Amino acid sequence: MHAGTWIGLVALATSGAFAAWIGWTTRPVRARRVKVALLCAAGALMAAWASFTDDNLRAETLFEVVAEGNLGLAPGTPAPEHVQRFVVLHPGVVHKLTVYPEYPPPTAKRARFDAEVRVQVLDQDGVALVDASHVHTHSRYRRDWDSVRYEFTPTREGEHTLVLAPLTAGIPAVHARIVDPLGVPNGRRAPGW
């Protein structure tokens, strides 16, 4: 089952249990039944929405990864480069790459500093389609850092390389997602997403 389906089922079960718990003995039978029915319907709608959203993301996701950051490295140690391979199916089409540092879920930790990450997308010949560095800012209103989106157009289908390098010390993980707007037969999401 997809993550969205699980989220929806948990929401359905939780709303049903909550409805049964609230006022079960203090309300007339008809009011209890209406309340349970409404909350179960809300849970079912949430389940359908989560499944639909996850299916749409999966249909466009060419590749997604949550790469290890540089948390716990000794000062002065060079930034680790995480090399990932992915296969381009539709050359000549603009692909979108979204990158941001994050604390992998589940966590309540918040971003407290700006984080710089270097990103490269290389074709089979080692030609850079994306070669950029970005300082991701944190916000006191959000848990994670901001994201950045790069666009690139591969010229050939086949294996390409994604290189992620967290440059600022203390980055726990780097999330990257590549979207092919023409769709992917078996979109692969990162574990837990």
Side-chain angles (χ1 to χ4, degrees), residues 108-174:
K109 293 183 180 178
R110 301 180 71 83
R112 304 256 186 240
F113 57 92
D114 294 347
E116 185 176 9
V117 176
R118 194 178 95 241
V119 179
Q120 289 180 312
V121 175
L122 309 170
D123 67 7
Q124 297 96 327
D125 300 328
V127 176
L129 303 174
V130 174
D131 189 0
S133 200
H134 180 76
V135 176
H136 300 267
T137 58
H138 71 289
S139 167
R140 66 182 193 163
Y141 302 110
R142 291 191 355 252
R143 188 176 64 84
D144 283 332
W145 290 268
D146 68 339
S147 64
V148 65
R149 180 173 288 172
Y150 303 101
E151 292 186 349
F152 64 96
T153 306
T155 56
R156 296 187 307 190
E157 67 180 60
E159 190 172 270
H160 285 59
T161 306
L162 170 67
V163 180
L164 301 169
L167 301 177
T168 305
I171 298 174
V174 179

Side-chain angles (χ1 to χ4, degrees), residues 30-106:
R30 184 172 182 178
R32 283 184 292 198
R33 287 182 183 157
V34 169
K35 190 182 296 183
V36 168
L38 288 175
L39 285 172
C40 287
L45 285 173
M46 286 172 47
W49 175 81
S51 181
F52 175 74
T53 302
D54 186 60
D55 286 345
N56 284 345
L57 287 173
R58 194 172 297 278
E60 290 184 336
T61 300
L62 178 64
F63 182 76
E64 186 173 21
V65 66
V66 178
E68 237 181 84
N70 56 10
L71 202 60
L73 289 181
T77 305
E81 286 191 345
H82 301 285
V83 179
Q84 307 285 330
R85 307 239 186 276
F86 64 97
V87 177
V88 169
L89 303 173
H90 302 109
V93 174
V94 176
H95 289 59
K96 294 180 177 90
L97 165 65
T98 304
V99 178
Y100 56 92
E102 71 171 2
Y103 285 99

